[in-house]
Amino acid sequence: MQMTERKIRVLIGKPGLDGHDRGAKTVASVLRDHGMEVIYTGLHQTPAEIAEAAAQEDVDVVGLSILSGAHMTLFPRVREELVSRGMGEILMVGGGIIPAEDAETLRNDGFARLFGPGTNTDEIAEWIATEMKQRFEEEGDDQ
Amino acid sequence: MTRRSQQVTKADPQKIWNEAMADSRLRESQFTSLSSAEVQPLYGPEDAPGDYDEKLGYPGQYPFTRGVHPSMYRGRLWTMRQFAGFGSAAQTNERFKFLLEHGQTGLSTAFDFPTLMGYDSDDEISLGEVGQVGVAISSLRDMQALFDGIPMGEVSTSMTINGPAPIMLAFYIAAAERQGVDPKILRGTIQNDILKEYQAQHAWLVAPEPALRMISDMIAYCVKHVPRWNTISISGYHIREAGSTAGQELAFTLANGMEYIRRGVAAGLDVDEFAPRLSFFFDSHLDFFEEIAKFRAARRIWAKKLRCEFGAKDPRSWMVRFHTQTAGVSLTAQQPENNIVRTAFEALAAVLGGTQSLHTNSMDETLSLPTEKAVKIALRTQQIIAEETEVCHVADPLGGSYYIESLTDRLEAEAEEYFKEIEERGGVVASIESGFFQSEIHRSALRYQRQLERGEKKVVGINCYREDEAGPTIDLHRIDAKVESEQCQRLIDLRAERDPKAASDALDAIRTAAQDGSNLIERFVTAAHAECTLGEIARVLRAEFGKFQEPKIL
């Protein structure tokens, strides 16, 4: 019971020079409505800046959004930066204009889910909540 | 709808209709516009009051509600202008030639994000982005390659760039000069609308005040040296795509336009010297009638403002001439072929709204950059409207529709409310710095998303008529990783081959002009000829003017 009361902390990041933030801000607001603590990085962040923010804010989830086509370069870089800070186990998700075959590659590279155009935002929130509940319970079992 | 009761002895048709309406079984629906405005079941004469000459007038006459040309499309069709740009300058040059060969009548350039933000392709921050969403242009050489074999004195070119727009125009002017073309005959448009960048599109170079100073410099320069160039394309498109309503798109765009007018006047120009060279760029979304009304309202508001508030005397200063792009956000990744249909409706709305030029989106743009096949269908959509539908014979064909006139009035009133509020908040720049526009747009985007998820708004393939599918079967257009490495190599070569003294002198001259207030554009043109790169020039400007700090609204 205690575990479900723990608030899920999410960082929504915009890596690279892409200025499209409608999706990122919409998802950030929806996750907040679902009771999560959400930190939005703002635009034009480097992978290192995003990882640093994730470490400082001690988040459980990092969600990245790119609509500029740079996802295959920048998503893995953010992941590397997180790994180098000892945060390789963090739940990572992404969204944007990401072709199916790229999504497949990224899933193999540590991104648990990629949410494309047309995704229901409540489903994103529910999926993260379910995934994190399971993780919190596992953490609880370990202790 | 209430109608004044008529004193008649026989049956009152309106009363009968009201009663019949009240007894009717209605579908489960919100009956609101795409922008969430209430829509009545019927509109009549009392919904569109006012004097015909004052509110509508004739095409080509004040207040231009019915269009900017007396003959409208009987005289000349709109310019079919497909936005294109990807990969290297040479690849985009090929696409330009492909489009010209297939009957396109003007060019429109999309740049990649590093270029839009003022970084060279070999800057560390550009990694992974080079050539992705547009063409990478870091220098005069790239610009020359982009227009290789295209006569710059004959073609009209649109360039969608804002923060570094004055630098990019300098590259264009220099490239034309290298082709032996006098800048005086160059025709085209550079977007150069920095205000909406802070509000919605988010590709800026420096903070608002110095950015506005560069725009004033550019207007002054073009009045003298490039007189046929449209110096700003005041753009609602990105505001709308970021989630605004139709009314917000209209209001924020025109508020920005008026700010540019104030700045030009404050810089000592006569309003009639530069206002005729300002053009507009709007979105055409799926709410057919609301969009048509928006275009009409834009023309009427601007005409009134320029004539009555800014004292412009030249009728060309009063006119909203505009480009339209169909709504990218209305497209779906699911069942992407349906996007052809959406785009066709949006394009028709733009034509019935009297657009001067049009870009139709390709069906595959929610998945990647468009393929040639998809672009061709999008262009053919415009050609079908122009050649087959017979809609082009009549100016403002929906003028006088009670519904359209009522919507036009409503949107005008909504815009006026926003103008007041923006003024109370200290003007456009203060409202950008406080995040007002950004919050308003975000709120509208979120409301729509909620409506979609509750099923109050419908999108075929998203929340109704869904199909289980493995994914799109259409081909994707991908950018080769070689584009980035080859582009970086070209920059290395350029820096090795150019005259280093000429380049550093040109950068020094820019630094001095930034400090002493003299016109920056002629220094940019000199720097372009000296083969300074975009990133080098932008670095000087960032150092002198400071970066923009995005206000936090979340």
Side-chain angles (χ1 to χ4, degrees):
Chain A
M1 273 314 280
Q2 282 174 314
M3 290 305 158
T4 53
E5 281 164 24
R6 179 172 156 193
K7 274 205 170 187
I8 301 167
R9 292 176 63 78
V10 186
L11 183 96
I12 300 291
K14 280 291 297 177
L17 299 172
D18 174 25
H20 299 94
D21 61 355
R22 177 178 180 166
K25 289 200 290 206
T26 298
V27 169
S29 292
V30 169
L31 297 184
R32 245 177 229 170
D33 292 347
H34 281 257
M36 300 179 201
E37 298 265 6
V38 181
I39 298 109
Y40 172 54
T41 62
L43 290 161
H44 310 143
Q45 303 292 302
T46 64
E49 285 168 341
I50 289 172
E52 199 48 44
Q56 293 207 345
E57 297 286 350
D58 191 25
V59 296
D60 308 301
V61 186
V62 169
L64 303 177
S65 162
I66 292 188
L67 291 89
S68 72
H71 50 273
M72 294 310 282
T73 308
L74 293 175
F75 278 11
R77 294 234 162 191
V78 175
R79 178 153 179 80
E80 283 164 27
E81 294 285 346
L82 285 167
V83 168
S84 75
R85 286 166 179 76
M87 299 176 74
E89 297 305 308
I90 204 166
L91 179 62
M92 292 199 72
V93 296
I97 306 289
I98 298 167
E101 57 199 76
D102 292 355
E104 191 55 41
T105 309
L106 290 168
R107 269 192 293 274
N108 293 328
D109 197 20
F111 284 79
R113 278 288 295 270
L114 280 309
F115 300 101
T119 306
N120 182 309
T121 54
D122 287 327
E123 282 173 19
I124 299 175
E126 281 152 22
W127 186 85
I128 290 174
T130 309
E131 186 70 18
M132 285 314 301
K133 188 171 172 241
Q134 202 179 336
R135 287 186 174 217
F136 288 157
E137 281 168 7
E138 282 166 12
E139 278 173 32
D141 292 344
D142 290 345
Q143 281 162 9
Chain B
M1 177 173 108
T2 53
R3 216 176 205 191
R4 88 189 121 71
S5 56
Q6 290 166 352
Q7 292 178 345
V8 282
T9 47
K10 53 185 180 180
D12 177 350
Q14 201 213 351
K15 190 161 166 272
I16 296 169
W17 179 81
N18 277 336
E19 287 167 4
M21 219 18 234
D23 290 342
S24 298
R25 257 181 78 105
L26 304 180
R27 282 182 296 111
E28 288 275 326
S29 175
Q30 298 266 318
F31 303 116
T32 57
S33 80
L34 187 60
S35 300
S36 295
E38 286 299 322
V39 176
Q40 299 171 186
L42 186 71
Y43 287 78
E46 65 286 350
D47 296 304
D51 179 67
Y52 175 84
D53 286 333
E54 192 188 307
K55 287 180 71 179
L56 303 178
Y58 289 83
Q61 289 177 38
Y62 184 87
F64 301 101
T65 313
R66 310 204 65 183
V68 292
H69 299 301
S71 58
M72 282 309 289
Y73 302 130
R74 284 195 180 207
R76 194 175 154 272
L77 290 170
W78 63 93
T79 304
M80 298 178 191
R81 198 191 286 277
Q82 297 295 91
F83 190 40
F86 58 89
S88 67
Q91 283 174 306
T92 299
N93 175 265
E94 234 174 85
R95 176 67 65 98
F96 278 176
K97 287 174 177 163
F98 171 87
L99 287 165
L100 290 170
E101 278 159 22
H102 283 85
Q104 172 158 298
T105 46
L107 295 175
S108 176
T109 320
F111 297 97
D112 68 1
F113 268 108
T115 308
L116 293 174
M117 292 287 293
Y119 294 105
D120 285 340
S121 300
D122 60 349
D123 194 302
E124 198 189 340
I125 204 164
S126 306
L127 190 75
E129 314 245 22
V130 175
Q132 287 287 349
V133 296
V135 61
I137 301 291
S138 303
S139 70
L140 172 61
R141 285 188 196 183
D142 292 339
M143 189 63 92
Q144 287 178 282
L146 186 61
F147 287 93
D148 184 47
I150 298 170
M152 293 174 82
E154 288 166 34
V155 75
S156 125
T157 304
S158 164
M159 288 187 279
T160 298
I161 190 162
N162 298 277
I167 307 169
M168 205 49 60
L169 182 66
F171 287 164
Y172 191 82
I173 292 168
E177 286 173 340
R178 297 281 174 107
Q179 278 194 5
V181 173
D182 182 353
K184 282 215 157 57
I185 67 163
L186 290 178
R187 282 183 309 121
T189 302
I190 193 149
Q191 197 164 74
N192 197 31
D193 172 11
I194 198 64
L195 293 170
K196 66 94 176 55
E197 291 298 319
Y198 305 116
Q199 294 161 351
Q201 168 89 339
H202 306 321
W204 48 68
L205 187 62
V206 292
E209 287 298 339
L212 286 165
R213 177 229 153 150
M214 284 200 281
I215 290 174
S216 297
D217 280 2
M218 193 169 121
I219 290 172
Y221 182 88
C222 287
V223 164
K224 241 164 105 185
H225 304 287
V226 203
R228 297 173 74 188
W229 198 265
N230 294 317
T231 45
I232 313 177
S233 168
I234 306 155
S235 306
Y237 187 80
H238 321 82
I239 293 170
R240 188 66 178 283
E241 293 286 295
S244 86
T245 63
Q248 288 168 336
E249 178 193 359
L250 177 71
F252 299 169
T253 308
L254 296 182
N256 292 345
M258 289 187 274
E259 186 64 23
Y260 295 124
I261 295 284
R262 286 186 204 102
R263 300 287 172 148
V265 170
L269 294 167
D270 183 288
V271 63
D272 287 321
E273 264 187 300
F274 69 97
R277 299 258 56 111
L278 304 183
S279 63
F280 290 81
F281 170 26
F282 291 108
D283 202 299
S284 189
H285 216 304
L286 277 165
D287 190 326
F288 195 71
F289 296 111
E290 193 174 50
E291 294 304 286
I292 293 167
K294 179 185 75 184
F295 303 130
R296 301 172 84 249
R299 282 193 293 265
R300 185 159 76 204
I301 297 169
W302 188 252
K304 285 192 202 167
K305 295 285 177 194
L306 267 283
R307 186 180 194 176
C308 306
E309 277 185 34
F310 295 102
K313 297 195 175 55
D314 184 343
R316 291 177 310 151
S317 300
W318 308 336
M319 290 181 198
V320 163
R321 294 169 298 120
F322 69 102
H323 172 69
T324 307
Q325 182 169 340
T326 57
V329 286
S330 71
L331 307 185
T332 60
Q334 294 73 11
Q335 306 171 40
E337 292 88 346
N338 296 345
N339 294 330
I340 298 172
V341 182
R342 295 187 176 99
T343 298
F345 287 127
E346 294 164 351
L348 184 60
V351 169
L352 299 185
T355 195
Q356 275 60 62
S357 85
L358 180 59
H359 166 102
T360 32
N361 290 323
S362 302
M363 63 171 161
D364 50 3
E365 292 191 56
T366 56
L367 303 161
S368 70
L369 287 180
T371 53
E372 276 193 359
K373 181 182 174 194
V375 170
K376 206 196 297 185
I377 293 171
L379 177 60
R380 295 282 183 252
T381 303
Q382 295 196 38
Q383 291 162 340
I384 289 166
I385 293 172
E387 307 295 345
E388 299 183 23
T389 66
E390 316 288 357
V391 299
C392 306
H393 311 328
V394 179
D396 189 32
L398 288 172
S401 144
Y402 303 128
Y403 181 32
I404 283 286
E405 297 302 347
S406 165
L407 281 173
T408 307
D409 292 349
R410 188 214 1 115
L411 286 163
E412 182 178 6
E414 197 181 321
E416 287 292 346
E417 286 297 309
Y418 266 120
F419 299 154
K420 244 185 275 163
E421 177 158 14
I422 292 162
E423 202 181 320
E424 283 162 14
R425 290 172 175 274
V428 171
V429 171
S431 302
I432 285 169
E433 287 166 348
S434 68
F436 169 69
F437 298 107
Q438 299 90 316
S439 300
E440 290 288 293
I441 295 166
H442 174 59
R443 222 172 42 185
S444 299
L446 201 55
R447 179 178 59 194
Y448 177 74
Q449 190 65 31
R450 284 318 202 180
Q451 289 170 332
L452 194 63
E453 279 158 14
R454 284 195 298 259
E456 294 164 9
K457 293 287 175 198
K458 295 275 172 47
V459 175
V460 170
I462 299 290
N463 63 356
C464 57
Y465 310 106
R466 291 168 59 130
E467 287 173 15
D468 291 325
E469 59 193 321
T473 49
I474 56 182
D475 295 333
L476 296 184
H477 177 176
R478 284 192 173 269
I479 302 301
D480 193 325
K482 273 202 313 215
V483 164
E484 187 158 324
S485 56
E486 288 173 1
Q487 171 71 3
C488 291
Q489 186 56 48
R490 274 193 292 276
L491 277 163
I492 292 167
D493 294 345
L494 175 140
R495 292 198 187 94
E497 288 161 16
R498 71 184 173 187
D499 173 355
K501 170 110 185 11
S504 76
D505 287 353
L507 293 176
D508 288 342
I510 289 169
R511 194 172 296 113
T512 308
Q515 290 163 359
D516 72 16
S518 44
N519 195 303
L520 278 161
I521 312 307
E522 52 192 80
R523 275 81 179 178
F524 292 160
V525 175
T526 309
H529 279 299
E531 304 211 278
C532 295
T533 66
L534 168 66
E536 290 164 347
I537 299 170
R539 200 176 308 131
V540 172
L541 298 173
R542 280 196 200 93
E544 292 301 320
F545 291 144
K547 281 186 172 182
F548 174 62
Q549 210 54 47
E550 184 193 358
K552 270 203 174 304
I553 64 157
L554 270 183

